[in-house]
Coordinates of all heavy atoms in Angstrom, one line a residue:
M1 N -0.2 7.5 -4.7 CA 0.3 6.8 -3.5 C -0.2 7.5 -2.3 O -0.3 8.7 -2.1 CB 1.8 6.9 -3.6 CG 2.5 6.0 -2.6 SD 4.2 5.7 -3.2 CE 4.6 4.5 -2.0
S2 N -0.6 6.6 -1.3 CA -1.2 7.2 -0.1 C -0.1 7.5 1.0 O 1.0 7.1 0.9 CB -2.1 6.1 0.5 OG -1.4 5.0 0.9
E3 N -0.6 8.3 2.0 CA 0.3 8.7 3.1 C 0.5 7.4 4.0 O -0.3 6.5 4.0 CB -0.3 9.8 3.9 CG -0.5 11.1 3.1 CD 0.9 11.7 2.9 OE1 1.7 11.7 3.8 OE2 1.1 12.3 1.9
R4 N 1.6 7.4 4.7 CA 1.8 6.4 5.7 C 0.9 6.5 6.9 O 0.5 7.6 7.2 CB 3.3 6.4 6.2 CG 4.2 6.1 5.0 CD 5.4 5.5 5.6 NE 6.4 5.3 4.5 CZ 6.7 4.1 4.0 NH1 6.2 3.0 4.6 NH2 7.5 3.9 3.1
A5 N 0.5 5.4 7.5 CA -0.4 5.4 8.6 C 0.3 6.0 9.9 O 1.5 5.7 10.1 CB -0.9 4.0 8.9
A6 N -0.4 6.7 10.7 CA 0.1 7.2 11.9 C -0.3 6.3 13.1 O -1.4 5.6 13.0 CB -0.4 8.6 12.2
P7 N 0.5 6.2 14.1 CA 0.1 5.4 15.3 C -1.1 6.0 16.0 O -1.3 7.2 16.0 CB 1.3 5.4 16.2 CG 2.1 6.7 15.8 CD 1.8 6.9 14.3
F8 N -2.0 5.2 16.5 CA -3.2 5.7 17.2 C -3.0 6.0 18.6 O -3.7 6.8 19.2 CB -4.3 4.6 17.1 CG -4.8 4.4 15.7 CD1 -4.6 3.2 15.0 CD2 -5.5 5.4 15.0 CE1 -5.1 3.0 13.7 CE2 -6.0 5.3 13.8 CZ -5.7 4.1 13.1
Y9 N -2.0 5.3 19.3 CA -1.7 5.6 20.7 C -0.2 5.3 21.0 O 0.5 4.7 20.2 CB -2.6 4.7 21.6 CG -2.5 3.2 21.2 CD1 -1.5 2.4 21.9 CD2 -3.3 2.6 20.3 CE1 -1.4 1.1 21.6 CE2 -3.2 1.3 20.0 CZ -2.2 0.5 20.6 OH -2.1 -0.8 20.3
C10 N 0.2 5.9 22.1 CA 1.6 5.7 22.6 C 1.8 4.3 23.0 O 1.1 3.7 23.8 CB 1.9 6.7 23.7 SG 3.5 6.5 24.5
P11 N 2.9 3.6 22.6 CA 3.2 2.3 23.0 C 3.6 2.1 24.5 O 3.7 1.1 25.0 CB 4.3 1.8 22.1 CG 5.0 3.1 21.6 CD 3.9 4.1 21.6
Y12 N 3.9 3.3 25.1 CA 4.4 3.3 26.5 C 3.2 3.5 27.5 O 3.1 2.8 28.5 CB 5.5 4.3 26.7 CG 6.7 3.9 25.9 CD1 7.0 4.6 24.7 CD2 7.6 2.9 26.3 CE1 8.1 4.2 23.9 CE2 8.7 2.6 25.6 CZ 8.9 3.3 24.4 OH 10.0 2.9 23.6
C13 N 2.4 4.6 27.2 CA 1.4 4.9 28.2 C 0.0 4.7 27.6 O -1.0 4.8 28.4 CB 1.6 6.4 28.6 SG 1.2 7.6 27.4
G14 N -0.2 4.5 26.3 CA -1.5 4.3 25.7 C -2.3 5.6 25.4 O -3.4 5.5 24.9
D15 N -1.7 6.7 25.7 CA -2.4 8.0 25.4 C -2.4 8.3 23.9 O -1.6 7.8 23.1 CB -1.7 9.2 26.1 CG -2.6 10.3 26.3 OD1 -3.4 10.4 27.3 OD2 -2.6 11.2 25.4
E16 N -3.4 9.1 23.5 CA -3.5 9.4 22.0 C -3.0 10.7 21.6 O -3.2 11.2 20.5 CB -5.0 9.3 21.7 CG -5.6 7.9 21.9 CD -7.1 7.8 21.6 OE1 -7.7 8.8 21.3 OE2 -7.6 6.7 21.7
D17 N -2.3 11.5 22.5 CA -1.8 12.8 22.2 C -0.4 12.7 21.6 O 0.6 13.0 22.2 CB -1.8 13.6 23.5 CG -1.5 15.1 23.2 OD1 -1.5 15.5 22.0 OD2 -1.4 15.9 24.2
L18 N -0.4 12.3 20.3 CA 0.9 12.1 19.6 C 1.1 13.1 18.6 O 0.2 13.6 18.0 CB 0.9 10.7 19.0 CG 0.7 9.5 19.9 CD1 0.7 8.2 19.0 CD2 1.8 9.4 20.9
R19 N 2.4 13.5 18.4 CA 2.8 14.4 17.3 C 4.0 13.9 16.6 O 4.9 13.3 17.2 CB 3.1 15.8 18.0 CG 1.9 16.4 18.6 CD 2.2 17.8 19.2 NE 1.0 18.4 19.7 CZ 0.5 18.2 20.9 NH1 1.0 17.3 21.7 NH2 -0.6 18.9 21.3
P20 N 4.1 14.2 15.3 CA 5.4 13.8 14.6 C 6.6 14.6 15.2 O 6.4 15.7 15.6 CB 5.1 14.3 13.2 CG 3.6 14.5 13.1 CD 3.1 14.8 14.4
S21 N 7.7 13.9 15.4 CA 8.9 14.4 15.9 C 9.7 15.1 14.8 O 9.7 14.7 13.7 CB 9.7 13.4 16.6 OG 10.9 13.9 17.1
E22 N 10.6 16.0 15.3 CA 11.5 16.7 14.3 C 12.7 15.8 14.0 O 13.5 16.1 13.2 CB 12.0 18.0 14.9 CG 10.8 19.0 15.1 CD 11.3 20.3 15.7 OE1 12.5 20.4 16.0 OE2 10.5 21.2 15.9
E23 N 12.8 14.6 14.7 CA 13.9 13.7 14.5 C 13.9 13.0 13.2 O 14.9 12.4 12.8 CB 13.9 12.7 15.6 CG 14.2 13.3 17.0 CD 15.6 13.9 17.1 OE1 16.6 13.3 16.6 OE2 15.7 15.0 17.6
G24 N 12.8 13.1 12.4 CA 12.8 12.5 11.1 C 11.7 11.5 10.9 O 10.7 11.4 11.7
H25 N 11.7 10.8 9.8 CA 10.7 9.9 9.4 C 10.4 8.8 10.4 O 11.4 8.1 10.8 CB 11.1 9.3 8.0 CG 10.0 8.4 7.5 ND1 8.8 8.8 7.0 CD2 10.0 7.0 7.4 CE1 8.1 7.8 6.6 NE2 8.8 6.7 6.8
G26 N 9.2 8.6 10.8 CA 8.8 7.5 11.7 C 9.0 7.9 13.2 O 8.7 7.0 14.0
A27 N 9.4 9.1 13.5 CA 9.6 9.5 14.9 C 8.4 10.2 15.4 O 7.8 11.1 14.7 CB 10.9 10.3 15.0
W28 N 8.0 9.9 16.6 CA 6.8 10.5 17.2 C 7.1 10.9 18.6 O 8.0 10.3 19.3 CB 5.6 9.4 17.2 CG 5.2 9.1 15.8 CD1 5.7 8.2 15.0 CD2 4.2 9.8 15.1 NE1 5.0 8.2 13.8 CE2 4.1 9.2 13.8 CE3 3.3 10.8 15.4 CZ2 3.2 9.6 12.9 CZ3 2.4 11.2 14.4 CH2 2.3 10.6 13.2
E29 N 6.3 11.9 19.1 CA 6.4 12.3 20.5 C 5.1 12.2 21.2 O 4.0 12.5 20.6 CB 6.9 13.8 20.5 CG 8.2 14.0 19.9 CD 8.6 15.5 19.8 OE1 7.8 16.3 20.1 OE2 9.8 15.7 19.5
C30 N 5.1 11.8 22.4 CA 3.9 11.7 23.2 C 3.9 12.8 24.2 O 4.8 12.9 25.1 CB 3.8 10.3 23.9 SG 2.4 10.1 25.0
A31 N 2.8 13.6 24.2 CA 2.8 14.8 25.1 C 2.4 14.3 26.5 O 2.6 15.0 27.5 CB 1.8 15.8 24.6
A32 N 1.7 13.2 26.6 CA 1.2 12.7 27.9 C 2.4 12.2 28.8 O 2.5 12.5 30.0 CB 0.2 11.6 27.8
C33 N 3.3 11.3 28.3 CA 4.3 10.8 29.1 C 5.7 11.3 28.7 O 6.7 10.9 29.3 CB 4.4 9.2 28.9 SG 4.8 8.6 27.3
N34 N 5.7 12.3 27.8 CA 7.0 13.0 27.4 C 8.0 12.1 26.9 O 9.2 12.2 27.2 CB 7.5 13.8 28.6 CG 8.4 14.9 28.2 OD1 8.2 15.5 27.1 ND2 9.3 15.3 29.0
R35 N 7.6 11.1 26.1 CA 8.6 10.1 25.5 C 8.6 10.3 24.0 O 7.6 10.7 23.4 CB 8.2 8.7 25.8 CG 8.4 8.3 27.2 CD 8.2 6.8 27.4 NE 8.6 6.3 28.7 CZ 7.8 5.8 29.6 NH1 6.5 5.7 29.4 NH2 8.3 5.4 30.7
A36 N 9.7 10.0 23.4 CA 9.8 10.0 21.9 C 10.1 8.6 21.5 O 10.9 7.9 22.2 CB 10.9 11.0 21.5
F37 N 9.6 8.2 20.4 CA 9.8 6.8 19.9 C 9.8 6.8 18.4 O 9.3 7.8 17.7 CB 8.8 5.8 20.4 CG 7.4 6.2 20.1 CD1 6.7 5.7 19.0 CD2 6.7 7.0 21.0 CE1 5.4 6.0 18.8 CE2 5.3 7.3 20.7 CZ 4.7 6.8 19.6
R38 N 10.4 5.8 17.8 CA 10.4 5.6 16.3 C 9.8 4.3 15.9 O 10.0 3.3 16.5 CB 11.9 5.7 15.8 CG 12.0 5.6 14.3 CD 13.5 5.7 13.9 NE 14.2 6.8 14.5 CZ 14.2 8.0 14.0 NH1 13.5 8.3 12.9 NH2 14.9 9.0 14.6
L39 N 9.0 4.4 14.8 CA 8.3 3.2 14.3 C 9.0 2.9 13.0 O 9.3 3.7 12.2 CB 6.8 3.5 14.1 CG 6.0 3.8 15.3 CD1 4.6 4.1 14.9 CD2 6.1 2.7 16.3
K40 N 9.1 1.6 12.7 CA 9.7 1.1 11.5 C 9.1 -0.2 11.0 O 8.9 -1.1 11.8 CB 11.2 0.9 11.7 CG 11.9 0.5 10.4 CD 13.4 0.3 10.7 CE 14.1 -0.2 9.5 NZ 15.6 -0.4 9.7
F41 N 8.7 -0.2 9.8 CA 8.1 -1.4 9.2 C 9.3 -2.3 8.8 O 10.1 -1.9 8.0 CB 7.2 -1.1 8.0 CG 6.7 -2.2 7.3 CD1 5.7 -3.0 7.9 CD2 7.1 -2.6 6.0 CE1 5.2 -4.1 7.2 CE2 6.6 -3.7 5.3 CZ 5.6 -4.4 5.9
L42 N 9.3 -3.5 9.2 CA 10.4 -4.4 8.9 C 10.2 -5.3 7.7 O 11.1 -5.7 7.0 CB 10.6 -5.4 10.1 CG 11.1 -4.7 11.4 CD1 11.2 -5.7 12.6 CD2 12.3 -3.9 11.2
G43 N 8.9 -5.6 7.4 CA 8.6 -6.4 6.2 C 7.5 -7.4 6.5 O 7.0 -7.5 7.6
L44 N 7.2 -8.2 5.5 CA 6.2 -9.3 5.7 C 6.9 -10.6 6.1 O 8.0 -10.9 5.6 CB 5.5 -9.4 4.3 CG 4.7 -8.2 3.8 CD1 4.1 -8.5 2.5 CD2 3.6 -7.9 4.8
L45 N 6.1 -11.4 6.8 CA 6.6 -12.7 7.2 C 6.4 -13.7 6.1 O 5.3 -13.7 5.5 CB 5.9 -13.1 8.5 CG 6.1 -12.2 9.7 CD1 5.3 -12.7 10.9 CD2 7.6 -12.2 10.1
T46 N 7.3 -14.5 5.8 CA 7.2 -15.5 4.8 C 6.3 -16.7 5.2 O 5.7 -17.3 4.4 CB 8.5 -16.0 4.3 OG1 9.2 -16.6 5.4 CG2 9.3 -14.9 3.7
R47 N 6.3 -16.9 6.5 CA 5.5 -18.1 7.0 C 4.0 -17.9 7.1 O 3.3 -18.8 7.2 CB 6.1 -18.6 8.3 CG 5.9 -17.6 9.4 CD 6.5 -18.1 10.7 NE 6.4 -17.1 11.8 CZ 7.4 -16.4 12.1 NH1 8.5 -16.5 11.6 NH2 7.2 -15.5 13.1
G48 N 3.6 -16.6 7.0 CA 2.2 -16.3 7.1 C 1.6 -16.5 8.4 O 2.3 -16.6 9.4
L49 N 0.3 -16.6 8.5 CA -0.4 -16.9 9.8 C -0.3 -18.3 10.2 O -0.5 -19.2 9.3 CB -1.9 -16.4 9.7 CG -2.1 -15.0 9.4 CD1 -3.6 -14.7 9.2 CD2 -1.6 -14.1 10.5
R50 N -0.2 -18.6 11.4 CA -0.1 -20.0 11.9 C -1.6 -20.4 12.3 O -2.3 -19.7 12.8 CB 0.7 -20.1 13.2 CG 2.2 -19.8 12.9 CD 3.1 -19.9 14.0 NE 2.5 -20.3 15.3 CZ 3.2 -20.3 16.4 NH1 4.4 -20.0 16.4 NH2 2.6 -20.7 17.5
Q51 N -1.9 -21.6 11.9 CA -3.2 -22.2 12.2 C -3.2 -22.8 13.6 O -2.3 -23.4 14.1 CB -3.5 -23.3 11.2 CG -3.6 -22.8 9.8 CD -4.8 -21.9 9.5 OE1 -5.8 -22.1 10.1 NE2 -4.6 -20.9 8.7
D52 N -4.3 -22.6 14.3 CA -4.6 -23.2 15.6 C -5.0 -24.7 15.4 O -6.1 -25.0 14.9 CB -5.6 -22.5 16.4 CG -5.9 -23.1 17.7 OD1 -5.0 -23.8 18.2 OD2 -6.9 -22.7 18.3
T53 N -4.1 -25.6 15.7 CA -4.4 -27.1 15.5 C -4.9 -27.8 16.8 O -5.1 -29.0 16.8 CB -3.2 -27.8 15.0 OG1 -2.1 -27.6 15.9 CG2 -2.7 -27.2 13.6
T54 N -5.1 -27.0 17.9 CA -5.5 -27.7 19.1 C -7.0 -28.0 19.1 O -7.4 -28.8 19.9 CB -5.2 -26.8 20.3 OG1 -5.9 -25.5 20.2 CG2 -3.7 -26.5 20.5
G55 N -7.8 -27.3 18.3 CA -9.2 -27.6 18.1 C -10.0 -27.1 19.3 O -11.0 -27.7 19.6
G56 N -9.6 -26.1 19.9 CA -10.5 -25.5 21.0 C -9.9 -24.2 21.4 O -9.6 -23.3 20.6
D57 N -9.8 -24.1 22.7 CA -9.4 -22.8 23.3 C -7.9 -22.7 23.5 O -7.4 -21.9 24.2 CB -10.1 -22.5 24.6 CG -9.9 -23.6 25.6 OD1 -9.2 -24.6 25.3 OD2 -10.5 -23.5 26.7
G58 N -7.1 -23.7 23.0 CA -5.7 -23.7 23.1 C -5.1 -24.4 24.3 O -3.9 -24.4 24.5
I59 N -6.0 -25.1 25.0 CA -5.5 -25.8 26.2 C -5.2 -27.2 25.8 O -5.8 -27.9 25.2 CB -6.5 -25.7 27.4 CG1 -6.7 -24.3 27.7 CG2 -6.1 -26.5 28.5 CD1 -7.8 -24.1 28.8

């Protein structure tokens, strides 16, 4: 079984200086903006991807 994926950047400031937090599974700390956040996978959507039916650029 593989390891879980780590976030590539902070969702608040966009910096890449992230470290796992001591708060537990899925918790991360950003050294750039001094914020802590938690990521959680909710599940797969049953409806799947929606198709673009406008036939162009969406206008």
Side-chain angles (χ1 to χ4, degrees):
M1 189 158 186
S2 64
E3 294 289 325
R4 296 209 182 249
F8 292 112
Y9 55 88
C10 174
Y12 297 100
C13 71
D15 200 89
E16 297 176 357
D17 191 5
L18 301 176
R19 294 179 174 84
S21 176
E22 295 178 2
E23 294 296 316
H25 181 72
W28 294 86
E29 298 174 354
C30 177
C33 68
N34 203 31
R35 288 186 169 118
F37 57 93
R38 183 177 309 274
L39 300 177
K40 181 179 179 182
F41 177 69
L42 298 177
L44 298 174
L45 300 175
T46 59
R47 64 180 176 261
L49 297 175
R50 294 181 3 185
Q51 298 291 327
D52 181 18
T53 59
T54 60
D57 58 1
I59 298 176

